[in-house]
Amino acid sequence: MSSQPSNSEPSPFDRLNEKVQHWIWDKGWSELRDIQAKAIGGILDSEDDVILAATTAAGKTEAAFLPILSTTASEKIDSFAVLYVSPLKALINDQFRRLEDLCERLELPVIKWHGDASAAAKAKAMQKPRGVVLITPESLESLLVRRGPDVRRMVHDLRFIVIDELHAFLSGERGVHLASLLKRLDATAGRRIRKVGLSATIGDFALAQYFLNPHGPQTVRLIESSLGQPELRLQVRGYREPDPEREGRKPEQERLVPAQTAIVGHVYQALRGRNNLIFASRRQAVESVADALGRLSEDKRVPNEFFPHHGSLSKTLREELEERLKSGELPTTAVATTTLELGIDIGSVASVAQVGPPASIAGLRQRLGRSGRREGEPSVLRIYVREPDRPAEDDPFELLRLELVQAVAAVNLLVSKWVEPGGSHGLHLSTLLHQTLAYICERGGARAREMFELICGPGPFAQVSDHDYAALLRAMNEAKLIEQSPDGILMLGQVGEAIANRFDFYAVFMTDDEYRIVTDQRTLGTVPVFNPLREGDFLTFAGRRWIVLSIDDRAKVVMVRAAPAGRVPQFPAQESVPLHDKLVHEMRAVYESGENYPFLDLVGKTLLQEARDAYRQLDLHSRQLLNVGDDIYLFVWRGTKATETLRLALASQDIRTEAYSIGLHAKYCELDKFKSALDSIFQHPPTAHAIAAFAEPLRRQKYDAHLPDEMLRDAFARTRVDENILKAQNLLPQPI
């Protein structure tokens, strides 16, 4: 890599600090990547906030830090210079390894700041804050709450906040939490601190711009890589789930293999011998698939290459698997939940597999980005879907092969480069309550108007009015979370102090009581205490099988040793990913189309044809209501929010239904009664608040238990009800 002639404009490389240039030379880079070259001018030539958008493994971390460190290294900065925020501790550890050598050359310290990081290193950094801090939102909250008076000294000259995996913060309570923390940091520093967001998958850049700068989103610069995606090779494979009773009547040689057995067999044949990732939606599924692959390897007397990776496994086990993938010395396939979806460096993988249909196109794109990272290599994706071999003739949803069609629709949207816009629209009362307590802790007390002006307004709580906030404070006072001194200062109440002193206060999401699983003094991970474990029980965990030796209920420790059998434990049910209107519309387009999708295997093509035949036989092009026996099926063809709204509206008419991806199912319901209820809903649409009266459960987030029903129902009505579906007059699908 060489500099430009002196009579020409300096190249992006020429504009970097000389020590940064030497670091790049020593790395053996022949040139800067596209996003890196663009980011240098974008960051150095203005004071605007910036979003760097590029595919996974495009070098976004260096794109941000090469110019940021070039400018901060040459300035006298009397505090931390850069704050890097990540959603994962593992990603922080990974970025620390990537930045450590570069920062050492620039004589800038780089500090990991999370629960597993060195306490001595953090204490030293607090005494003399300099350089780069790598931190999670929860550790940032802990720093503000516990070291409030000291934080101003640590950040008063802070130049940049870098937010990695920005898309992961654009929805959900952690994103709301971080957005609020950013406002509090600006207030602590006494000025707006410049923000740089990094992301591979953003469906709505306007939303990302608002997240970084809610007071001036139009000033946030978007810098995108112009490089294309690698070649995509994909296959959706269909599997028939046999009916055990029916198969039992067949001769053994004619019986269908259970779908999971067939899926595991194909995964073993297709993936063994290289590095791969397999994603499943739940921890139970991860453990089940990993166990089946491990047993198959054992049966074939070959070394096991398939290992689980999820949030309940110990940090040590997860890091060992990540390092094994990264080193590439042994072929390794990780079976994971979302824990390996984000940008932890695990090296290049040959392929990605998904067990079950994708619910999120953004998540699917993020997962696919793990494959095809080396120049000239394609991205390889396999999706495995199971459907009943003989669907019930009286169940239209089974006949329509919903999971197979959802997988096809997701692939179509992936290829079209569409991504969900995301967003955290809502009142987020649980997180607002938490931020109120946290701010009082940070400042030692605060006035109501001061907190409203800082926490609310443009940003994550923009929909919260002063009336809403006053009602929240009254509810918190009644619950003894806060109390007011004679001079009007709000302080923690008795219950508020107890909450703020808990070890889990710094996180806004709920955590479960758990047993720690231990063998030979080595912690394997944790399982929820609601699992009915007893001595002598068998357990499948961490990809192996165990027998329970003893249980210490007080210490919440379960001792185990290896065993020949096991049972996958239960884990908390995670709230399912809501389907976007666009995905459900695409599902209907798949039914209506006669297109032959080359990415389907033979069984998948047969299942799709059966689904299309059922769609035509049921006349769903023009019908939205089916009466089958004593049951009613309503085809809504909208996303989760609209379908749930209609489900609650029907509940207000005393009709109970169960929601599916494309509609609702009412059991033992008279057709006339159902039609009458629909007519009533569309002729006299219930208000959002009337619908919210039937919402259960109301308490879904960590601090909802401290809020009155009427406040939670009001929040539900304002944020989770799609009133447009109630004004549609009818549900006849629009022509395709």
Side-chain angles (χ1 to χ4, degrees), residues 491-513:
M491 303 174 294
L492 294 183
Q494 180 182 356
V495 176
E497 282 189 0
I499 290 173
N501 287 329
R502 284 180 55 90
F503 71 93
D504 64 348
F505 173 66
Y506 309 112
V508 296
F509 50 86
M510 289 189 286
T511 55
D512 296 285
D513 287 336

Side-chain angles (χ1 to χ4, degrees), residues 46 53 106 141 154 208 215 247 253 447 480 539 563 611 702:
S46 80
L106 295 168
E141 182 68 86
M154 298 181 200
H215 290 278
E247 295 301 309
Q253 65 273 19
R447 295 187 182 276
K480 297 184 179 180
L539 183 69
K702 188 172 182 178

Side-chain angles (χ1 to χ4, degrees), residues 352-597:
V352 171
Q354 164 102 21
V355 179
S360 162
I361 312 306
L364 183 60
R365 281 188 63 182
Q366 190 73 18
R367 293 172 178 187
L368 181 60
R370 289 299 201 167
S371 174
R373 296 173 66 168
R374 290 179 178 163
E375 189 172 349
E377 285 190 355
S379 291
V380 179
L381 171 67
R382 295 178 178 90
I383 300 176
Y384 296 88
V385 181
R386 65 183 80 182
E387 291 284 356
D389 177 43
R390 295 293 182 97
E393 293 294 331
D394 59 352
D395 187 340
F397 289 156
E398 274 200 12
L399 291 169
L400 289 167
R401 310 292 195 184
L402 297 182
E403 294 207 349
L404 186 281
V405 173
Q406 183 176 320
V408 172
V411 167
N412 287 347
L413 294 178
L414 174 74
V415 172
S416 73
K417 296 183 170 54
W418 179 84
V419 180
E420 294 91 350
S424 296
H425 308 297
L427 298 185
H428 304 288
L429 294 179
S430 173
T431 307
L432 179 57
L433 181 152
H434 173 270
Q435 287 298 279
T436 300
L437 292 176
Y439 187 75
I440 291 173
C441 289
E442 177 188 342
R443 300 300 172 104
R447 295 187 182 276
R449 174 54 58 179
E450 170 194 348
M451 288 194 293
F452 174 73
E453 291 179 352
L454 173 63
I455 299 173
C456 302
F461 303 112
Q463 294 191 49
V464 177
S465 66
D466 53 359
H467 173 78
D468 295 327
Y469 195 60
L472 176 74
L473 293 179
R474 286 194 295 271
M476 292 177 68
N477 180 63
E478 290 173 8
K480 297 184 179 180
L481 296 173
I482 59 174
E483 58 187 34
Q484 191 170 34
S485 67
D487 61 354
I489 300 293
L490 294 175
M491 303 174 294
L492 294 183
Q494 180 182 356
V495 176
E497 282 189 0
I499 290 173
N501 287 329
R502 284 180 55 90
F503 71 93
D504 64 348
F505 173 66
Y506 309 112
V508 296
F509 50 86
M510 289 189 286
T511 55
D512 296 285
D513 287 336
E514 295 174 316
Y515 287 120
R516 191 159 53 93
I517 309 299
V518 178
T519 181
D520 296 329
Q521 307 303 313
R522 176 180 169 90
T523 296
L524 300 172
T526 58
V527 299
V529 297
F530 59 65
N531 281 280
L533 293 176
R534 298 170 299 179
E535 290 183 15
D537 281 355
F538 292 100
L539 183 69
T540 297
F541 189 73
R544 295 182 61 188
R545 296 175 167 199
W546 313 92
I547 185 171
V548 175
L549 299 178
S550 65
I551 301 173
D552 185 335
D553 283 319
R554 176 170 293 183
K556 290 189 169 58
V557 172
V558 176
M559 298 298 299
V560 299
R561 64 172 166 80
R567 174 179 58 84
V568 176
Q570 295 296 308
F571 293 97
Q574 296 172 301
E575 193 167 349
S576 59
V577 177
L579 302 185
H580 193 277
D581 279 350
K582 181 83 170 177
L583 178 57
V584 183
H585 289 165
E586 184 62 27
M587 289 177 68
R588 184 166 176 251
V590 170
Y591 288 115
E592 293 273 349
S593 168
E595 184 174 351
N596 180 24
Y597 300 107

